[in-house]
Amino acid sequence: MIKSIIFDIGMVLAEYNWPKYLQTFSYDEKTYQAVANAVFLSPTWIECDRGVLSDRELLSAFISNAPEYEKEIREVYATVGGCIKQYDYAIPWIQDLKSKGLQIYALSNYGERMFAQTGKELNFLELMDGALISYQDHLIKPDPRIYQTILDRYHLIPEETVFFDDNADNVRAAANLGIIAFPFSSYSQAVEQLQSLMQI
């Protein structure tokens, strides 16, 4: 019997679209690519989600990737929360699932600066029974410890828990712990998958 659902946030409940955000600065192609490589495509970007480095350390690392674009990197990083936009279906979906008696949680790789800047886009968290945001626990998916942490924290039973994530590695890691895990491709498909499970 399914009792709980865990959602990833980016590309599941909210759009994460850094190329679109970066385009709002109207940089020329050379600058656009340099900033993209220095920030969003840099290994340092993952460290935002881990939450071990300070904001100053992260910014310095991004700048060191392309020092000649320091001005642009600072400009982009200052309002980086612009990458996130809530999907229209997020809140109605969560409300519907909760009306069926299901417990709803979020498990997301998410950096502190972006989290602080996207409160309005993440207001569905207020409706949930709990959340594990990576930077707060210094763990990132697909590390098995992050899944075990959310299971333990909220006393969830893997076989009674469904997990949706758009990243295949994250889905496999959850499944390895016995969680019923699905790769998320669309809202409509996820609804069908849940309906099928609830009928078993």
Side-chain angles (χ1 to χ4, degrees):
M1 182 178 187
I2 304 304
K3 295 183 179 180
S4 306
I5 300 171
I6 303 174
F7 288 112
D8 177 29
I9 292 178
M11 306 310 293
V12 177
L13 297 178
E15 180 184 43
Y16 165 59
N17 193 336
W18 67 259
K20 182 178 179 181
Y21 165 69
L22 192 51
Q23 287 167 3
T24 65
F25 292 91
S26 302
Y27 297 142
D28 60 50
E29 182 58 31
K30 182 180 178 182
T31 302
Y32 175 96
Q33 200 57 56
V35 175
N37 289 336
V39 181
F40 301 106
L41 300 176
S42 163
T44 306
W45 185 250
I46 299 299
E47 296 309 310
C48 293
D49 296 343
R50 199 184 304 277
V52 175
L53 300 177
S54 70
D55 206 45
R56 179 176 295 181
E57 288 171 325
L58 289 166
L59 180 56
S60 294
F62 291 137
I63 292 170
S64 70
N65 291 330
E68 64 273 32
Y69 293 96
E70 177 176 354
K71 174 181 175 293
E72 290 82 3
I73 290 171
R74 287 183 179 276
E75 184 177 43
V76 167
Y77 191 58
T79 56
V80 72
C83 293
I84 302 293
K85 298 295 178 187
Q86 183 181 137
Y87 289 135
D88 291 341
Y89 61 73
I91 287 178
W93 193 16
I94 292 168
Q95 290 173 329
D96 179 63
L97 292 170
K98 286 188 67 66
S99 74
K100 293 178 169 62
L102 294 163
Q103 294 180 312
I104 309 299
Y105 303 90
L107 176 61
S108 183
N109 286 353
Y110 219 108
E112 183 173 10
R113 171 173 281 267
M114 187 173 288
F115 191 77
Q117 292 184 355
T118 53
K120 181 180 178 182
E121 303 302 330
L122 304 184
N123 60 0
F124 50 73
L125 292 175
E126 301 169 3
L127 304 174
M128 293 185 168
D129 297 284
L132 196 164
I133 308 300
S134 65
Y135 83 87
Q136 297 172 345
D137 284 81
H138 311 306
L139 293 169
I140 58 174
K141 297 176 290 185
D143 186 333
R145 293 176 297 171
I146 197 170
Y147 303 95
Q148 195 60 56
T149 298
I150 194 170
L151 291 173
D152 293 344
R153 181 169 297 167
Y154 298 109
H155 311 291
L156 306 180
I157 298 172
E159 296 78 13
E160 297 177 349
T161 302
V162 177
F163 174 61
F164 287 106
D165 197 298
D166 65 303
N167 182 291
D169 290 338
N170 297 344
V171 171
R172 281 191 290 270
N176 287 339
L177 288 176
I179 299 169
I180 304 167
F182 292 106
F184 185 89
S185 58
S186 72
Y187 163 68
S188 59
Q189 182 177 5
V191 168
E192 290 179 4
Q193 288 166 328
L194 283 175
Q195 289 175 339
S196 177
L197 281 173
M198 301 295 283
Q199 291 171 0
I200 294 176

